Amino acid sequence: MLLENDRNPPRRDKLHAMKICSLLPSATEILFALGLGDQVAGVSHECDFPPEARSKPVLIVSRISHTEIAAAIDRQVREFLERGESLYSVDLTALASIEPDLIVTQDLCHVCAATPDDLGAALAHLRRRPQIVTLNPHSLADVCADIRAVARATGTVQQGNAVITNFERAVAQVEQAVAGLPRQRVVCLEWLDPPYVAGHWVPEMVTRARGVDVLGRAGEPSFRVEWETVFAAQPDVIVLMPCGYGLQQVAKEFRDMALPEGWENMPAVRNGRVFLVEASGYFSRPGPRLAAGVAILADAIHAGQQASLTPSAAGLVLARVAAAGM
């Protein structure tokens, strides 16, 4: 992560609350977890957790249509990137009216959220330059480092330490619960048409849940594969987690897709161990809820071998595919 003015982190002035703009959902979740929800003055169009975030002014709008099928969205994204155009636009007027003290953005994925490049023109319209915190996580440890960076920038170090402690404790509890269970071969797909293997922190989450990610590369971006590669991996468990999708969206996408020839021959499919997950909240966003994501993975990988580890407050976040095509 990058943090401007890192040598002189601000002190919290109890008489003057910071005005903070978050340009990505995970940062919004971190800010609320730090107790700063009342100081969040602007968010992106995808910031929907906690529910209070939905009431904040929206500063970022996606330029691609998310109502299309997966293949059409993938095509739009590739066309924008090939033209060197951003997928997002910043509401310059709204941002200028807020006059933020701090902006939290990311430089991990130009597809998932607005980046520092998208801020360039916007900053020129501000009367004074705010502090910028840029998040760039690739692992669970990086997520903790980002929480610490946001806490330092907002003068909430103590709260940040507590959030990190709870996060690490939750992951450790899952590891302890599944210790000794046989490891299963797992494939996690971040997109279905075309198929993309989930990367960055997801392979590590699989490992923590006592699985073996047979295609993912820990700490590296997701990547496109052919279905033949997935078939050849012979996974015992398949977890479908299209980036940014909720459980119902994943279910619809899978139900509507034409399953490739050879799908039924994989052990995971033959044994009914294909799972859909709430990707948006527990896998796509590198924030505190990734700890619950590890628990969800453990429930999928070791289904029926232990009591459910998924936090009861998480709601319905995991579904088993009963048969090919649902």
Side-chain angles (χ1 to χ4, degrees):
M1 112 287 302
L2 303 176
L3 175 62
E4 292 194 3
N5 303 324
D6 191 40
R7 296 182 178 178
N8 297 294
R11 294 182 178 179
R12 287 286 297 277
D13 184 347
K14 295 182 179 180
L15 299 179
H16 173 68
M18 295 182 73
K19 290 183 291 184
I20 307 170
C21 290
S22 169
L23 304 190
L24 65 158
S26 60
T28 299
E29 293 188 23
I30 290 171
L31 290 164
F32 272 86
L34 294 173
L36 298 167
D38 59 335
Q39 297 181 49
V40 175
V43 297
S44 81
H45 63 297
E46 292 185 322
C47 293
D48 56 10
F49 187 88
E52 297 88 331
R54 298 172 181 167
S55 65
K56 303 294 184 178
V58 174
L59 305 176
I60 301 293
V61 177
S62 174
R63 298 177 62 196
I64 64 174
S65 171
H66 291 274
T67 61
E68 305 282 353
I69 61 174
I73 293 175
D74 178 71
R75 183 169 57 253
Q76 289 182 69
V77 169
R78 285 188 286 106
E79 289 173 352
F80 268 90
L81 296 180
E82 287 170 0
R83 294 195 300 266
E85 298 180 21
S86 173
L87 276 62
Y88 300 91
S89 60
V90 182
D91 188 330
L92 303 180
T93 301
L95 183 64
S97 68
I98 293 172
E99 295 188 349
D101 301 297
L102 172 68
I103 296 176
V104 186
T105 185
Q106 61 94 35
D107 197 23
L108 176 68
C109 176
H110 288 231
V111 175
C112 298
T115 68
D117 293 342
D118 299 312
L119 270 180
L123 292 175
H125 287 74
L126 300 180
R127 291 191 298 178
R128 59 184 177 83
R129 184 177 178 86
Q131 183 181 13
I132 309 294
V133 174
T134 303
L135 309 182
N136 188 26
H138 298 272
S139 65
L140 297 184
D142 289 345
V143 173
C144 291
D146 283 347
I147 294 171
R148 190 171 290 110
V150 175
R152 188 166 60 247
T154 55
T156 57
V157 172
Q158 185 174 353
Q159 294 93 322
N161 290 337
V163 171
I164 292 169
T165 296
N166 290 336
F167 177 86
E168 293 176 335
R169 180 186 297 121
V171 173
Q173 287 173 343
V174 174
E175 290 182 288
Q176 183 177 6
V178 298
L181 293 178
R183 293 189 180 275
Q184 305 293 317
R185 295 171 59 82
V186 182
V187 164
C188 295
L189 295 180
E190 190 179 88
W191 202 250
L192 304 183
D193 189 11
Y196 275 76
V197 174
H200 294 304
W201 47 84
V202 172
E204 180 185 355
M205 293 171 70
V206 171
T207 299
R208 298 290 190 97
R210 200 162 177 79
V212 178
D213 193 324
V214 293
L215 292 180
R217 303 165 184 165
E220 298 185 19
S222 62
F223 57 95
R224 180 175 176 175
V225 296
E226 299 300 326
W227 279 113
E228 287 73 17
T229 301
V230 180
F231 301 157
Q234 290 291 288
D236 301 307
V237 178
I238 298 174
V239 185
L240 308 180
M241 51 177 67
C243 185
Y245 278 31
L247 185 61
Q248 297 306 316
Q249 290 174 289
V250 181
K252 183 181 186 305
E253 190 71 33
F254 182 73
R255 185 171 57 246
D256 293 346
M257 73 178 287
L259 293 173
E261 184 178 355
W263 171 266
E264 297 84 358
N265 297 328
M266 288 185 289
V269 178
R270 291 199 309 268
N271 298 322
R273 303 190 65 190
V274 178
F275 295 88
L276 318 178
V277 297
E278 177 81 19
S280 179
Y282 300 97
F283 297 95
S284 303
R285 301 175 180 178
R289 288 194 291 169
L290 288 185
V294 176
I296 294 166
L297 278 175
D299 282 350
I301 295 170
H302 308 288
Q305 298 185 59
Q306 83 284 314
S308 176
L309 299 171
T310 302
S312 57
L316 180 61
V317 292
L318 175 70
R320 185 195 296 260
V321 175
M326 300 289 285

